[in-house]
Amino acid sequence: MTEPEVRPVASSVNPTVRRRRLGQELRKLRELKGMTAEEVAERLLVSQSKISRLENGRRSISQRDVRDLCGVYGVEDHRIVDSLMQMAKESRQQGWWHAFGDTPYSVYIGLETDAASLRVYEASLVPGLLQTPNYASAVTEGSWPEATTADIERRVQVRMRRQERITDPENPLRLWAVIDESALRRIVGSREIMAEQMRQLVQFSLEPHITVQVLPYDVGAHPGMYGKFSILEFNDPQDASTVYLEGITSDLYLEKPNDVQTYSVMYEHLRMQALNADHSRQFIDRVAEEWAAEV
């Protein structure tokens, strides 16, 4: 069996991406061995779902897991085993978001933190990376009725911390946001909060690495009518582009090339149907004035 080359992981890579990359390497080893996930699970006396979760990077991988899997796959090159073991060790470190306690979409935050670019379509809300603290608080309170004041404050803090990716002067996230007009028209919190949010949206749209486009009502039917989605892309070619679909109780991550291509084509259609960046900025500015006039 020809064993794949395992490249060292830079120390700057966050634990979510380490875990994801390690899972990809383990999948390659299994496929080179010609084994199914079910066969591996039987050999190790574990569930097939555990093997799947290890390979898709959704489960923490221990060094013991790596050792056992390398044994099953007959990996004899100690350099490969040592590299994978080191990746496993680093993947169990905690990212900055763990300091805020239990975060429901921590996997996504880990990917977003390391992404080079992000394409977002939002149907009913201003994207999280572009929200003001007041708007984020009102969104959290409205969408999570049982949340305590502490819960809301924690989630808003996490959201504001995430925004550092688009304000980083050295390595800002390239953000492209297509926002349905309904997100600009729905009152979240108050008219004053909406006016403030629209003004901030305009300011963000002036940044060279941020593009904001509005999809107006008169476009009619469009590819985004089935709901919001995000497409994350990374600098390292080892890290596959990922489509993120947020759910109420669980999220979905699509990494198969065909899935990513399908959503990428959908996004291109949304971009073409939306107002261009300049007209979108003018549109949002008018909406801001309308909200301010009603305060």
Side-chain angles (χ1 to χ4, degrees):
M1 178 181 71
T2 302
E3 295 169 344
E5 177 185 0
V6 179
R7 294 168 51 191
V9 180
S11 59
S12 60
V13 179
N14 73 49
T16 300
V17 176
R18 287 187 181 95
R19 188 167 64 242
R20 184 169 177 251
R21 193 175 298 169
L22 176 55
Q24 293 171 349
E25 297 296 341
L26 293 173
R27 182 186 297 112
K28 290 178 185 177
L29 290 172
R30 176 177 60 77
E31 292 173 346
L32 283 171
K33 187 67 173 178
M35 298 180 70
T36 65
E38 184 178 6
E39 289 171 338
V40 175
E42 290 178 356
R43 286 278 301 274
L44 295 178
L45 301 178
V46 299
S47 67
Q48 181 180 344
S49 62
K50 175 179 178 177
I51 302 301
S52 297
R53 290 196 299 271
L54 291 178
E55 291 185 351
N56 64 27
R58 305 295 177 251
R59 177 184 172 128
S60 180
I61 306 177
S62 69
Q63 290 179 300
R64 179 175 180 176
D65 289 329
V66 170
R67 183 199 64 192
D68 292 345
L69 289 168
C70 285
V72 171
Y73 302 146
V75 181
E76 298 179 351
D77 189 328
H78 293 294
R79 293 173 300 174
I80 293 178
V81 176
D82 290 345
S83 179
L84 293 175
M85 294 279 276
Q86 181 63 24
M87 291 170 69
K89 181 180 179 180
E90 294 173 344
S91 73
R92 297 175 72 84
Q93 297 174 0
Q94 293 190 334
W96 63 259
W97 51 92
H98 288 95
F100 293 90
D102 183 29
T103 304
Y105 47 96
S106 60
V107 172
Y108 173 78
I109 294 176
L111 295 176
E112 180 186 83
T113 299
D114 204 63
S117 67
L118 174 63
R119 287 175 285 169
V120 179
Y121 167 68
E122 276 284 358
S124 57
L125 295 172
V126 171
L129 290 178
L130 302 176
Q131 294 177 5
T132 66
N134 288 329
Y135 183 93
S137 180
V139 167
T140 305
E141 183 176 2
S143 60
W144 191 17
E146 69 275 19
T148 65
T149 300
D151 290 331
I152 294 172
E153 290 178 352
R154 184 171 63 253
R155 290 207 179 188
V156 172
Q157 288 173 353
V158 171
R159 192 152 299 180
M160 295 305 104
R161 175 66 175 78
R162 285 170 53 204
Q163 286 189 6
E164 293 183 13
R165 276 295 282 115
I166 61 172
T167 57
D168 184 347
E170 297 182 359
N171 184 34
L173 175 69
R174 176 66 177 96
L175 176 64
W176 201 303
V178 176
I179 309 172
D180 194 278
E181 182 179 348
S182 60
L184 313 183
R185 301 294 186 183
R186 181 182 299 279
I187 298 178
V188 174
S190 68
R191 288 170 172 77
E192 185 175 9
I193 288 176
M194 291 302 299
E196 176 191 44
Q197 176 62 74
M198 294 304 105
R199 287 192 290 267
Q200 174 159 300
L201 201 53
V202 169
Q203 290 303 309
F204 272 132
S205 73
L206 294 171
E207 296 292 334
H209 59 283
I210 298 175
T211 302
V212 177
Q213 289 185 258
V214 175
L215 196 65
Y217 287 143
D218 58 16
V219 164
H222 58 78
M225 295 185 72
Y226 290 104
K228 63 181 181 179
F229 63 92
S230 303
I231 305 173
L232 302 104
E233 296 174 309
F234 306 86
N235 283 325
D236 196 311
Q238 289 189 103
D239 300 321
S241 297
T242 302
V243 176
Y244 171 66
L245 303 175
E246 183 179 352
I248 301 298
T249 59
S250 62
D251 302 326
L252 184 62
Y253 299 85
L254 306 177
E255 299 177 352
K256 293 181 179 179
N258 287 343
D259 291 333
V260 175
Q261 176 65 13
T262 296
Y263 276 90
S264 294
V265 170
M266 286 174 58
Y267 202 82
E268 289 306 307
H269 280 285
L270 290 170
R271 284 169 51 175
M272 289 187 291
Q273 290 179 270
L275 301 175
N276 65 32
D278 289 336
H279 290 166
S280 293
R281 190 177 301 113
Q282 296 168 10
F283 188 98
I284 297 169
D285 199 40
R286 288 196 300 271
V287 174
E289 292 177 358
E290 293 172 9
W291 284 121
E294 296 177 9
V295 173

